[in-house]
């Protein structure tokens, strides 16, 4: 059945290669002590700038997983509530936002044992611009 | 379009009542609605005389008082004729087409399960894709059906008494202490492999009947991964659906999103910018490279050649890093949007890709050398999982599995999409018809992919990477095909003028290929099963797309841990005692 080309068949073809590898550096990285840099376009944890938001709700409408909520907390003051457990890190909200109030950051180590800690609330600024992230885990 | 018009005129000449019935939406796409009583006259004609010898899939739709059944028939030159007929909901049924396409069984079962259309002549067998204990009369793809309705139906029946849900062959014997005399008295033995099994990478179950060590029968049960994506698509907007279909599969994510947006773009009449088409092709080929390298490793692993697994997966990281750099993520690239792509390729990136491709090419050449010279590998794979050319055509096998049996079937060539029409590449085939052939085809395809990536980067046209797409897509329908690493992927999209699609139908390549597994394993040894299954490069999350989400409430970490400990205690394993020392030192 096999097309036999007797002269070319060499058992243990990879032995040489394997022995060479013994002398090479490991191909893996010693995580978490060494970390790989994230690519520029990486879509990690979102950042919300409350000062820029106009409350148009396009991000809420387009989010495929219902992970983001925008709440009106006062006259022209909005607050974002992002569920990192639901977010699929597609950054569609970033694309949809007409005011560039949302941004994807390179932050990717987001695993939590407590589900409540996956909720992140970005407060509206009291008066001054610049949204601040409330303590993680503050689910209202 | 001339050839499409020819088909149309021929049909009209033959059947004068078809005058002006055939619609041609674009080159290669014909649509025809026929009444149910005349369906088989046309169906028969198309297959036997007009050359439509492939069945892409069957789409079932819920249309008021009727069910629509659309048979997507394809020709080797890329023409797809969508033949549709209506079946009344009240007491209607359709004749099965399995005498024409034995591979059509699974498509009919799917429609039967999800919509409740009856098919006369469909042989009895396990249902697909819903679980065996799914309540009767619940058909999730019907328009009015809501997922939350299920919780009101009296829970889901426990299937124990029907020996259904449990894939283990001799179930009654299992639930009581096994009566070995009973098994020994039978001359065949049934073994269940899966849904969780070390040889399988995803949940699916194979019920294998053995005579001695030889397989005499095999029953496949799928659906463990079904996530209701088709239904969910109908409830979301086109923008959201792109990300949803992307998650049908982690390996072919670009495949599904491209296939979907192509269909939507066709309905909306959007002209895809050239640059976007090239970038889609680029990511598509990089995806093929990563998928084929992944397969090579898995195949090596299944035959006990783990060295190959380690090295191919190490090299696969090169292409994963390139994909991450290009799109922003290793898997689920999120590069597609309706109307184009979301990210551009810079000159530095192009240079990096070329460097990586050189490196990969060198490695691949080495693997080709290994595959053609390493005696153990050749002898292990040759003659295993034989599938003849005739069977490929009959069962509708696609992709490298079909090409390894000498069938030159590749959507990139026959029905070009994105930028494939402008690239120079060979369709790799082999006459080996076995697992070895499938390995060689994939390895040589890698070389073609490298060449295509270089061509894309060289020819990459300037210009915009997307056009503005409307949120509301005008009413219409389209069928889109894409050559996934595993074979032809088909998406059918029907729109109704709103922001959400009316129907999205996905036929992933594994569903088409899986039916050939039974054929390949006929009269083979049980030990060949893992590699034969692996050789079609199965992807069951693509194949299955629906599951019921059971609302048990959330369990905390501590509760899950406790649940696990209790469960094992009941089985007689007491972790507390076994790991007392470790536990104490941790706490
Ligand atoms: S990144 Fe995607 S999933 Fe996450 S909040 Fe934005 S749109 Fe939603
Ligand atoms: S899309 Fe932007 S501006 Fe609109 S609500 Fe969301 S964050 Fe605010």
């Amino acid at each position: 059945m096999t097309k036999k080309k007797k002269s070319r068949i060499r058992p243990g073809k990879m032995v040489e290669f394997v022995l060479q590898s013994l002398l090479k550096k490991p191909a893996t990285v010693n995580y978490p002590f060494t970390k790989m840099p994230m690519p520029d376009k990486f879509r990690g944890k979102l950042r919300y700038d409350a000062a820029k938001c106009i409350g148009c709700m396009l991000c809420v409408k387009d989010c495929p997983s219902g992970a983001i909520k925008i709440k009106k907390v006062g006259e022209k003051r909005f607050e974002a509530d992002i569920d990192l457990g639901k977010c699929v890190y597609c950054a569609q909200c970033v694309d949809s936002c007409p005011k560039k109030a949302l941004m994807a950051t390179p932050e990717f180590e987001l695993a939590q044992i407590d589900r409540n800690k996956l909720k992140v609330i970005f407060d509206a600024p009291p008066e001054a611009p610049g949204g601040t992230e409330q303590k993680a885990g503050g689910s209202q | 379009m001339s050839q499409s018009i020819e088909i149309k005129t021929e049909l009209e000449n033959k059947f004068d009542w078809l005058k002006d019935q055939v619609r041609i939406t674009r080159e290669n796409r014909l649509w025809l609605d026929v009444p149910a009583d005349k369906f088989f006259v046309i169906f028969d004609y198309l297959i036997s005389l007009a050359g439509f010898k492939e069945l892409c899939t069957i789409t079932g739709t819920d249309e008021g008082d009727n069910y629509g059944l659309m048979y997507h028939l394809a020709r080797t030159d890329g023409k797809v004729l969508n033949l549709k007929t209506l079946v009344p909901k009240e007491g209607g049924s359709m004749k099965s087409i399995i005498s024409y396409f034995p591979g059509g069984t699974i498509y009919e079962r799917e429609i039967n399960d999800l919509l409740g259309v009856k098919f006369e002549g469909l042989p009895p067998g396990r249902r697909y894709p819903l679980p065996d204990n799914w309540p009767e009369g619940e058909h999730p793809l019907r328009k009015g059906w809501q997922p939350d309705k299920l919780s009101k139906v009296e829970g889901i029946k426990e299937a124990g008494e029907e020996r259904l849900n449990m894939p283990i062959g001799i179930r009654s014997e299992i639930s009581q202490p096994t009566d070995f005399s009973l098994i020994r008295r039978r001359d065949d033995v049934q073994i269940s492999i899966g849904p969780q099994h070390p040889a399988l990478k995803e949940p699916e179950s194979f019920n294998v009947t053995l005579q001695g060590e030889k397989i005499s029968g095999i029953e496949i049960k799928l659906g463990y991964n079904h996530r209701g994506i088709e239904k969910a698509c109908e409830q979301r907007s086109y923008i959201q659906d792109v990300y949803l279909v992307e998650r049908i599969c982690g390996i072919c994510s670009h495949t599904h999103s491209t296939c979907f947006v192509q269909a939507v773009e066709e309905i909306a009449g959007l002209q895809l910018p050239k640059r976007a088409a090239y970038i889609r092709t680029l990511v598509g080929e990089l995806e093929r490279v990563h998928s084929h390298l992944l397969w090579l490793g898995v195949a090596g692993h299944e035959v006990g050649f783990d060295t190959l697994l380690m090295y191919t997966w190490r090299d696969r990281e090169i292409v994963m890093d390139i994909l991450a750099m290009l799109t922003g993520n290793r898997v689920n690239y999120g590069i597609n949007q309706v109307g184009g792509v979301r990210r551009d390729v810079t000159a530095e990136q192009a240079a990096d890709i070329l460097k990586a491709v050189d490196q990969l090419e060198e490695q691949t050449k080495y693997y080709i050398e290994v595959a053609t010279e390493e005696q153990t590998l050749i002898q292990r794979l040759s003659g295993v999982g034989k599938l003849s050319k005739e069977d490929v055509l009959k069962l509708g096998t696609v992709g490298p599995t079909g090409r390894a049996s000498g069938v030159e079937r590749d959507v990139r060539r026959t029905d070009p999409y994105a930028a494939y029409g402008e690239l120079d590449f060979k369709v790799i085939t082999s006459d080996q018809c076995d697992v070895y052939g499938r390995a060689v085809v994939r390895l040589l395809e890698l070389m073609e992919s490298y060449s295509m990536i270089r061509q894309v980067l060289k020819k990459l046209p300037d210009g915009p990477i997307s056009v503005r797409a409307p949120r509301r897509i005008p009413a219409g329908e389209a069928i889109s095909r894409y050559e996934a690493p595993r074979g032809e992927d088909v998406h059918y999209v029907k729109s109704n003028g709103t922001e959400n699609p009316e129907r999205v139908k996905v036929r992933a390549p594994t569903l088409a290929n899986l039916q050939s597994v039974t054929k390949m394993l006929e009269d083979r040894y049980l030990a060949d099963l893992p590699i034969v299954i692996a050789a079609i490069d199965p992807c069951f999350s693509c194949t299955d797309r629906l599951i019921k989400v059971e609302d048990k409430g959330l369990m905390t970490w501590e509760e899950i841990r406790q649940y696990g400990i209790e469960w094992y205690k009941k089985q007689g394993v007491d972790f507390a005692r076994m790991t007392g020392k470790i536990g104490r030192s941790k706490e």
Side-chain angles (χ1 to χ4, degrees):
Chain A
M1 232 177 271
T2 322
K3 281 187 198 126
K4 286 215 166 77
K5 285 186 231 153
K6 263 266 146 56
S7 57
R8 295 202 62 211
I9 289 176
R10 280 165 39 198
K13 171 75 192 157
M14 279 182 109
V15 170
E16 205 180 311
F17 195 68
V18 173
L19 290 177
Q20 275 174 11
S21 296
L22 281 177
L23 305 171
K24 283 190 193 149
K25 271 200 319 213
T28 47
V29 171
N30 194 14
Y31 181 86
F33 307 107
T34 326
K35 282 178 190 172
M36 296 281 281
M38 286 296 109
D40 313 339
K41 296 170 181 172
F42 185 72
R43 307 182 300 265
K45 183 180 172 184
L46 291 172
R47 196 163 69 213
Y48 169 74
D49 186 347
K52 286 186 184 162
C53 178
I54 51 165
C56 69
M57 300 290 162
L58 275 179
C59 54
V60 181
K61 186 179 160 85
D62 285 347
C63 173
S65 59
I68 184 164
K69 288 193 183 67
I70 302 284
K71 238 183 283 158
K72 189 165 180 173
V73 289
E75 193 52 37
K76 286 193 183 156
R77 284 173 67 225
F78 301 95
E79 187 181 277
D81 179 341
I82 300 172
D83 189 338
L84 300 180
K86 279 188 179 172
C87 180
V88 296
Y89 305 96
C90 60
Q92 174 60 45
C93 52
V94 178
D95 286 9
S96 294
C97 179
K99 291 289 166 196
K100 300 206 163 28
L102 287 160
M103 232 184 86
T105 66
E107 206 183 323
F108 68 95
E109 290 158 305
L110 305 172
Q112 294 287 358
I113 289 182
D114 181 0
R115 196 175 274 266
N116 288 327
K117 291 205 179 121
L118 289 169
K119 288 242 162 72
V120 179
I121 296 172
F122 290 90
D123 278 339
E127 293 301 315
T132 47
E133 181 180 331
Q134 213 185 49
K135 49 175 178 28
S139 54
Q140 288 300 102
Chain B
M1 206 176 272
S2 61
Q3 263 185 325
S4 296
I5 292 176
E6 249 171 58
I7 298 172
K8 180 183 157 128
T9 359
E10 255 174 57
L11 265 167
E12 285 175 355
N13 289 345
K14 197 105 191 155
F15 309 95
D16 47 358
W17 52 277
L18 281 183
K19 188 123 194 69
D20 298 327
Q21 295 288 311
V22 183
R23 286 167 289 138
I24 303 176
T25 46
R26 70 160 166 102
E27 173 68 37
N28 285 351
R29 293 292 183 273
L30 298 102
W31 306 79
L32 175 60
D33 291 6
V34 292
D37 55 333
K38 290 185 178 135
F39 177 84
F40 277 95
V41 183
I42 305 295
F43 195 67
D44 197 78
Y45 167 79
L46 288 171
I47 294 164
S48 46
L49 294 168
F52 287 92
K53 290 206 185 302
E54 294 170 33
L55 176 69
C56 293
T57 189
I58 314 171
T59 304
T61 45
D62 183 352
E63 305 184 2
D65 292 336
N66 297 304
Y67 294 119
L69 290 177
M70 189 178 276
Y71 295 75
H72 308 283
L73 294 164
R75 253 171 41 162
T76 42
D77 60 357
K79 308 266 172 297
V80 179
L81 194 145
N82 305 286
L83 187 66
K84 186 176 171 185
T85 189
L86 294 176
V87 178
K89 276 187 182 170
E90 286 294 322
S93 69
M94 183 68 190
K95 251 175 54 200
S96 170
I97 49 132
I98 53 170
S99 54
Y100 296 94
F101 299 102
T105 331
I106 197 110
Y107 307 139
E108 292 184 346
R109 279 199 209 294
E110 185 175 350
I111 295 172
N112 185 280
D113 246 16
L114 298 179
L115 276 169
V117 181
K118 292 211 168 42
F119 287 92
E120 294 160 37
L122 186 64
R126 300 196 59 178
R127 67 192 301 177
Y128 169 77
L130 297 175
D132 287 325
N133 55 355
W134 186 267
E136 282 298 318
E138 294 288 320
H139 300 289
L141 266 188
R142 287 190 181 167
K143 277 290 167 198
W145 194 90
Q146 290 296 331
D148 52 343
K149 202 182 138 212
L150 251 198
S151 51
K152 294 184 196 103
V153 177
E154 273 228 344
I156 289 202
K157 232 187 320 169
E158 270 305 316
E161 74 273 28
E162 285 153 61
R163 310 175 23 150
L164 279 175
N165 201 26
M166 192 82 175
I168 288 173
I170 316 162
R171 196 199 135 89
S172 49
E173 286 87 335
I174 297 286
S175 49
Q176 282 121 39
T178 312
D179 181 0
F180 283 102
S181 62
L182 206 80
I183 302 177
R184 251 182 256 118
R185 256 189 279 124
R186 305 160 67 136
D187 48 356
D188 55 345
V189 172
Q190 288 193 321
I191 293 194
S192 80
I193 296 178
Q196 308 293 338
H197 192 273
L200 309 170
K201 303 291 171 281
E202 288 173 278
E204 68 269 358
S205 113
F206 297 87
N207 211 349
V208 188
T209 312
L210 289 179
Q211 285 193 318
E213 251 190 285
K214 280 206 170 159
I215 297 173
S216 62
I218 184 163
E219 184 194 54
I220 303 172
K221 169 70 186 161
L222 293 169
Y224 300 96
N225 260 346
H226 218 144
R227 287 152 290 159
I229 287 183
E230 288 178 7
K231 183 83 178 175
C233 278
E234 294 172 10
Q235 292 157 353
R236 283 167 175 76
S237 69
Y238 289 96
I239 295 177
Q240 295 169 320
D241 283 347
V242 177
Y243 303 104
L244 184 61
V245 296
E246 186 165 47
R247 281 158 181 80
I248 288 175
C249 174
I251 299 173
C252 305
S253 66
H254 187 67
T255 297
H256 287 288
S257 70
T258 309
C259 204
F260 176 77
V261 294
Q262 278 178 181
V264 179
E265 283 158 6
E266 194 180 319
I267 301 173
L270 297 176
Q271 189 60 44
L272 182 68
K274 268 247 152 113
R275 192 173 174 89
Y278 271 78
I279 294 175
R280 274 187 195 166
T281 312
L282 175 67
V283 177
E285 285 313 308
L286 287 168
E287 183 177 76
R288 193 180 318 276
V289 170
H290 109 65
S291 175
H292 279 5
L293 284 174
L294 177 131
W295 177 84
L296 190 61
V298 171
H301 172 70
E302 297 292 9
V303 297
F305 193 0
D306 278 308
T307 322
L308 192 63
L309 167 75
M310 297 297 168
Y311 288 121
T312 47
W313 282 37
R314 178 197 63 192
D315 295 337
R316 177 171 163 267
E317 282 308 304
I318 301 172
V319 63
M320 297 311 276
D321 287 346
I322 289 293
L323 280 166
M325 172 193 82
L326 203 57
T327 65
N329 232 331
R330 282 164 61 91
V331 280
N332 296 333
Y333 320 113
I335 188 135
N336 277 319
Q337 65 182 28
V338 178
V341 291
R342 295 170 72 201
R343 281 148 206 265
D344 206 352
V345 182
T346 63
E348 298 96 73
Q349 285 175 338
D352 283 348
I353 298 172
L354 285 176
K355 235 189 281 155
V357 166
D358 288 343
Q359 215 179 338
L360 284 165
E361 188 174 47
E362 199 183 308
Q363 287 300 325
T364 309
K365 277 187 189 148
Y366 176 72
Y367 296 130
I368 293 177
E369 226 176 89
V370 171
T372 47
E373 291 180 25
E374 171 64 55
Q375 198 178 6
T376 42
L377 196 68
I378 298 172
Q379 298 214 336
R380 179 68 188 87
L381 301 183
S382 296
V384 174
K386 280 271 182 194
L387 187 71
S388 69
K389 193 171 174 174
E390 292 70 47
D391 285 332
V392 166
L393 295 173
K394 215 168 68 199
L395 294 169
T397 312
V398 294
T401 316
R403 291 196 282 273
S405 291
V407 178
E408 209 183 321
R409 192 185 270 178
D410 192 324
V411 182
R412 290 175 293 175
R413 172 60 43 81
T414 56
D415 196 0
Y417 52 91
Y420 287 107
E422 293 162 31
L423 300 181
D424 180 29
F425 64 98
K426 280 205 294 279
V427 175
I428 307 287
T429 57
S430 154
D431 293 323
Q432 284 269 357
C433 305
D434 54 13
V435 177
Y436 184 61
R438 280 159 226 154
V440 171
V441 164
R442 289 199 177 90
L443 277 166
L444 295 177
E445 271 182 15
L446 279 173
M447 301 302 281
E448 289 302 310
S449 290
Y450 301 142
S451 134
M452 273 187 258
I453 293 168
R454 291 203 184 97
Q455 290 175 45
V456 166
L457 290 173
K458 204 163 139 216
K459 289 187 184 169
L460 196 65
D462 289 326
I465 56 165
S466 67
V467 287
R468 253 191 78 83
R471 278 177 180 269
R472 287 171 189 279
I473 302 294
E477 52 191 350
I479 178 153
S480 156
R481 301 160 88 198
Y482 183 107
E483 187 69 24
R486 289 154 183 74
E488 179 192 349
D489 180 29
V490 184
H491 282 222
Y492 164 82
V493 180
K494 185 176 180 182
S495 58
N496 52 12
T498 64
E499 288 182 14
N500 299 2
E502 169 87 10
R503 175 84 169 95
V504 177
K505 161 83 190 160
V506 180
R507 199 296 314 270
T510 301
L511 192 60
N513 282 344
L514 202 68
Q515 307 173 53
S516 58
V517 167
T518 325
K519 192 90 209 156
M520 292 175 196
L521 283 169
E522 243 168 46
D523 245 354
R524 293 296 312 183
Y525 294 102
L526 181 64
D528 287 343
L529 184 123
I531 182 62
V532 168
I533 293 173
I536 68 161
D537 199 358
C539 178
F540 295 100
S541 59
C542 285
T543 306
D544 302 344
R545 294 167 309 276
L546 186 133
I547 208 166
K548 169 180 170 278
V549 183
E550 227 175 315
D551 196 9
K552 274 205 177 143
L554 293 179
M555 277 170 116
T556 65
W557 195 250
E558 197 40 50
E559 277 166 359
I560 293 177
R561 187 167 166 267
Q562 208 50 46
Y563 179 80
I565 294 174
E566 302 274 296
W567 192 85
Y568 275 105
K569 222 182 230 164
K570 270 193 222 142
Q571 323 290 314
V573 186
D574 192 353
F575 278 118
R577 227 185 18 239
M578 277 162 67
T579 56
K581 234 176 163 178
I582 308 169
R584 231 173 294 134
S585 68
K586 258 188 188 166
E587 275 152 23

